[in-house]
Amino acid sequence: SKMASRPLLTVLAISTLLHGALSQNPGFSIALSESGMAYAAKVAVPIIQKDISTIQIPDLHGSAHTPVGSISYDVTSIKVTSVNLGTVTLTPGSSGISLSMSSGSVAMNANWHYRENSWPHVSDHGSLDMSTSGLDISVTLAPGITSAKEPSFSMPACNAKIDHLDVHFHGGASWLYNLFSSEIGGAIKSALQGQICKIISGELPALNAVLAKLPTRLPLDDEVGLNFEMISAPQTTTQFLRTSHMGEFYPIKNPNAPPPLAPASFVVPTDTPRMMYIWFTIFVPETAGWSYEQSGHLQFTVKPQEIPSSFPIQLNTNSFKLIIPTLYAKYPNKNITLLINATRPVPFLPVIDSSGLNVTAFFDVTFYVDMNSTFQVPVFVLNSTTLLDGSVSCATNAGNNRLHYNLTFLKMDLAVEKSFVGPFSSTPLQSLLNLVFQTAILPIVNKGGSNGIPIPVVDGVALINPSIVYQLNAIRIETDVSYTPSLTNSSL
């Protein structure tokens, strides 16, 4: 399969789900560093060597003048027997990615045959060996973006050069062939040089087909999905290849609705010793809360039976006799139902900096008195502002790379927003609302964190010893990588 050589570019595209200034800040970004590219080159070398070994060099037919007269000759069944690419480097730069193979060599063998053009038409045959020295290959790869917002690669430049090719004939009148071996060597050298760039160029369509399979819009559940579309062509500098993506949650019922905020900027470190760097910016959790709010998923109902019987405050007006006497006086011994709603389009406000992740949640809690099974009366509304501590982790299992998060309760501030039973203090209800938030809301939010957010990379790429770094406006994953061809892309 022609795809067998594509780890050269596929591993390079580890970061390319991964030129110029970005038109907008990304919500999600991946960078492959110099050490990451060195790994890509290391993985690719044996497979490129194997691919070059399949080069088909046409048979040679010609004529020559020799001490025994004019002859016609044929060199057939030219086969590559070994390839050494020499020193291989893959380096990013402002104009793209440079793939360089220097001081390599190729060995070949073939069969020869000749026949005198004049009587008595003597003929002979044998075998020959060829070896090159000073094989240098220089390729420029340019990352781009398709109309479908997917990454792609093109090859604006390629040059293959062989300094010298030695030809040695065996059998028969080998002495005769050695007299014009330079003519045959020149023809074979020219054919070999031309084939190498064609092979590398021929790999790009299949590579781009693999990259087109990277997720752009990925549903996470019945309510929301995550948009990984690229917002610009991958950026190359002397330090890395970096991709920039939307990194935006969206409500599945209205996937093209624009969120009421834009991604914040973040800093890329100057020291990048790990192979890959992945950023989930503050925009990701911001749009997650917005998307779930848009889908109606951030509306919670709490019934009396959901409060533990041992808890000092029950959802019955009897428990409010001393807290809100007017409520009890108006509705004695009535059950209470709570309706909890997000109070703003972006109900979770995350803050990420070097100290970690904190999230502030904004919800209204409306208390309803249950008059009967079908009729409820609103009695007051509390506004809650809840501070949460966040932690994230990165897990890679069988190539399933995910970012997991967990939120823990820190404190809640309450305020009476509206009352139909007269003025009262919300302080005595603090413990009840703390309990409700931790038992009714937080488990649902953390369920998504337990499932994790997928990290889009090429199939077969695993993150090795990933570590989490908190920086202003972003969570950064620093990791090494390994590449193992998957069953579906076994030839990559």
Side-chain angles (χ1 to χ4, degrees):
S1 165
K2 265 220 168 279
M3 295 177 71
S5 61
R6 293 193 178 89
L8 158 66
L9 304 177
T10 298
V11 181
L12 191 162
I14 284 171
S15 73
T16 308
L17 310 223
L18 317 151
H19 80 323
L22 303 178
S23 59
Q24 69 183 78
N25 293 320
F28 173 82
S29 183
I30 301 181
L32 193 66
S33 69
E34 290 180 275
S35 62
M37 291 193 183
Y39 174 75
K42 180 180 178 181
V43 171
V45 162
I47 305 172
I48 302 174
Q49 290 178 163
K50 181 179 179 182
D51 201 48
I52 291 178
S53 72
T54 67
I55 284 178
Q56 301 293 317
I57 298 177
D59 295 344
L60 299 178
H61 308 285
S63 60
H65 294 284
T66 73
V68 297
S70 177
I71 65 170
S72 296
Y73 66 84
D74 306 285
V75 178
T76 61
S77 302
I78 305 171
K79 296 185 184 303
V80 176
T81 56
S82 69
V83 180
N84 183 339
L85 295 180
T87 302
V88 180
T89 60
L90 199 60
T91 54
S94 58
S95 60
I97 298 164
S98 296
L99 170 64
S100 174
M101 292 161 268
S102 59
S103 302
S105 62
V106 177
M108 294 166 282
N109 59 30
N111 298 321
W112 61 263
H113 174 270
Y114 88 91
R115 182 177 184 272
E116 291 182 356
N117 292 331
S118 59
W119 191 88
H121 301 297
V122 175
S123 64
D124 203 353
H125 63 87
S127 63
L128 60 87
D129 297 320
M130 294 170 281
S131 60
T132 72
S133 59
L135 170 63
D136 295 325
I137 305 171
S138 176
V139 178
T140 299
L141 300 171
I145 182 172
T146 70
S147 59
K149 307 295 179 65
E150 297 160 344
S152 65
F153 280 95
S154 61
M155 189 180 76
C158 178
N159 182 55
K161 179 177 176 293
I162 297 172
D163 278 348
H164 187 68
L165 188 145
D166 290 321
V167 183
H168 298 284
F169 295 87
H170 309 287
S174 297
W175 61 270
L176 190 62
Y177 274 72
N178 287 331
L179 294 177
F180 55 92
S181 63
S182 61
E183 180 178 334
I184 294 175
I188 293 176
K189 183 169 74 170
S190 177
L192 184 62
Q193 289 175 157
Q195 288 287 335
I196 289 173
C197 282
K198 286 181 181 179
I199 279 184
I200 297 176
S201 177
E203 308 200 6
L204 294 179
L207 166 69
N208 290 332
V210 171
L211 296 179
K213 295 179 182 178
L214 287 165
T216 51
R217 284 182 175 256
L218 187 65
L220 297 183
D221 54 34
D222 294 336
E223 307 291 341
V224 304
L226 192 50
N227 184 350
F228 285 115
E229 288 179 356
M230 294 183 65
I231 60 175
S232 63
Q235 175 191 19
T236 56
T237 70
T238 55
Q239 187 182 0
F240 51 68
L241 164 70
R242 178 183 158 205
T243 63
S244 296
H245 308 254
M246 293 290 288
E248 174 185 304
F249 274 81
Y250 61 89
I252 286 178
K253 69 178 183 180
N254 191 8
N256 296 317
L261 70 168
S265 62
F266 62 94
V267 175
V268 176
T270 55
D271 184 26
T272 53
R274 304 295 298 273
M275 293 181 184
M276 183 184 288
Y277 294 79
I278 304 168
W279 289 269
F280 285 87
T281 77
I282 198 170
F283 189 63
V284 176
E286 285 174 337
T287 56
W290 169 77
S291 296
Y292 278 114
E293 193 276 334
Q294 288 283 299
S295 70
H297 197 63
L298 295 183
Q299 186 176 83
F300 309 92
T301 300
V302 180
K303 296 288 189 179
Q305 60 269 25
E306 296 176 53
I307 303 300
S309 58
S310 59
F311 199 73
I313 303 176
Q314 295 293 304
L315 289 181
N316 185 285
T317 56
N318 291 345
S319 287
F320 290 74
K321 188 174 183 179
L322 298 178
I323 301 172
I324 312 175
T326 53
L327 172 62
Y328 173 76
K330 193 171 182 179
Y331 305 105
N333 196 27
K334 292 290 186 181
N335 281 340
I336 294 174
T337 296
L338 306 184
L339 181 63
I340 304 171
N341 281 292
T343 61
R344 52 176 70 184
V346 183
F348 293 98
L349 180 63
V351 175
I352 306 174
D353 57 27
S354 58
S355 65
L357 166 65
N358 285 305
V359 179
T360 305
F362 303 92
F363 286 88
D364 272 350
V365 184
T366 304
F367 285 66
Y368 288 88
V369 170
D370 300 329
M371 303 304 292
N372 54 48
S373 60
T374 60
F375 181 56
Q376 296 175 315
V377 176
V379 288
F380 59 88
V381 180
L382 299 181
N383 180 261
S384 70
T385 302
T386 306
L387 183 62
L388 307 166
D389 180 57
S391 62
V392 297
S393 61
C394 182
T396 174
N397 299 308
N400 184 14
N401 305 301
R402 288 181 174 264
L403 182 74
H404 297 274
Y405 63 86
N406 185 72
L407 300 176
T408 55
F409 180 88
L410 293 179
K411 69 172 185 173
M412 177 187 291
D413 292 329
L414 285 177
V416 179
E417 183 175 304
K418 187 184 297 182
S419 174
F420 301 101
V421 291
F424 65 92
S425 170
S426 62
T427 303
L429 297 178
Q430 186 77 57
S431 60
L432 173 64
L433 269 296
N434 288 354
L435 172 71
V436 166
F437 194 94
Q438 293 180 77
T439 58
I441 299 178
L442 214 47
I444 295 174
V445 174
N446 281 332
K447 182 179 179 181
S450 178
N451 293 335
I453 300 172
I455 302 172
V457 290
V458 170
D459 283 348
V461 170
L463 309 185
I464 305 300
N465 298 323
S467 61
I468 300 293
V469 178
Y470 297 96
Q471 65 176 80
L472 185 62
N473 295 332
I475 293 166
R476 184 172 78 241
I477 302 172
E478 301 184 345
T479 185
D480 292 327
V481 296
S482 68
Y483 175 74
T484 304
S486 66
L487 293 177
T488 55
N489 292 325
S490 58
S491 60
L492 290 175

